[in-house]
Amino acid sequence: MELTYRLDPDLTPAFLGELTRLWVDVSNAGGAVGFPGATTHEEIRPETDAYVKSIAAGRHRLLAGLDGDGRLRATAFLGFNTHRLQRHFGWLTTVMIDPSLQRGGHGRALLAAAEEHARAFGLEALKLTCRGGLGLEHFYASCGYKEVGRVPGGLRVSADDYRDDIMMWLELN
C-alpha cells in the first residue's frame, strides 16, 4: 500500500478521531507510543488534544501518512525547541505506523519525509527517544540515527518492568 505524506493536515474533528484511533491501535498492538499496555480512546484523546494546542502555538508540526482513501495510517510530530542554544535541532515524537502496515517500509518512508521537512525548516539535526527492550534503536540506527544517550531503567512500563530510555540523533546534511 502506498502512503502519501502530508504536512499540517486540517485538524478537523474527524481527523482528530482518526489520530486518536491510530494511537490506540498502535499502543494496543505493543507500540511504544507513551502508554504501557492496553489503552482506550478516553485515555489517549487528552494527549491528542494537547498536541492540537501545541500545533496551534507553533511548537509542533504534524506529518500525516494517508492511504489512497485518505485514512490516517502513519504520523510523526516534529517539535521545535525554543531555547536559543537548541533551535538548530528538532524532535521527532509519537512516530506511529498502523500495525497492519508495519514492516512494509512505511517507517523508513515516514522518517525520510520528516527529515525532508526538517531540512526545509532549516534544522540541522533531529533527536528522538525510544523505549528499550523492543529493538527500536536498531531500526532507527538502520535509518542513520546514532544512539547518543541511554538512561537505564528510565521508563517504568509497569510496577516491575523498567526499560531504558534511549536517545537517538540524526545529523541532517
Side-chain angles (χ1 to χ4, degrees):
M1 172 181 293
E2 190 77 22
L3 297 182
T4 301
Y5 295 97
R6 184 181 318 158
L7 185 66
D8 301 328
D10 290 334
L11 300 179
T12 65
F15 182 86
L16 296 176
E18 280 290 296
L19 175 57
T20 303
R21 177 214 40 90
L22 177 63
W23 204 337
V24 169
D25 290 350
V26 170
S27 186
N28 288 343
V33 288
F35 292 85
T39 190
T40 65
H41 182 277
E42 292 73 26
E43 289 177 301
I44 289 183
R45 186 53 192 251
E47 298 298 321
T48 302
D49 293 340
Y51 267 127
V52 170
K53 290 178 184 171
S54 187
I55 290 168
R59 292 187 304 269
H60 280 94
R61 304 286 291 268
L62 171 59
L63 181 62
L66 306 170
D67 68 15
D69 296 325
R71 186 171 183 213
L72 182 64
R73 305 300 289 262
T75 65
F77 287 86
L78 182 58
F80 298 96
N81 291 304
T82 57
H83 192 282
R84 71 184 66 73
L85 300 179
Q86 296 180 331
R87 290 186 190 134
H88 65 289
F89 74 90
W91 285 87
L92 276 185
T93 59
T94 318
V95 176
M96 300 187 288
I97 302 294
D98 186 303
S100 69
L101 299 181
Q102 290 178 0
R103 303 203 188 300
H106 298 292
R108 290 180 190 286
L110 175 64
L111 292 177
E115 293 158 18
E116 180 181 325
H117 287 292
R119 283 185 192 93
F121 294 135
L123 297 175
E124 298 173 18
L126 286 172
K127 194 180 205 182
L128 60 81
T129 61
C130 61
R131 184 186 305 171
L134 299 172
L136 296 169
E137 68 272 28
H138 303 299
F139 167 71
Y140 288 116
S142 75
C143 294
Y145 288 76
K146 292 182 176 39
E147 182 176 327
V148 294
R150 181 181 290 249
V151 179
L155 300 171
R156 185 170 71 182
V157 178
S158 67
D160 60 349
D161 185 0
Y162 290 79
R163 306 287 179 90
D164 292 356
D165 187 9
I166 304 167
M167 186 183 310
M168 309 287 293
W169 180 265
L170 178 71
E171 294 284 338
L172 298 170
N173 302 338

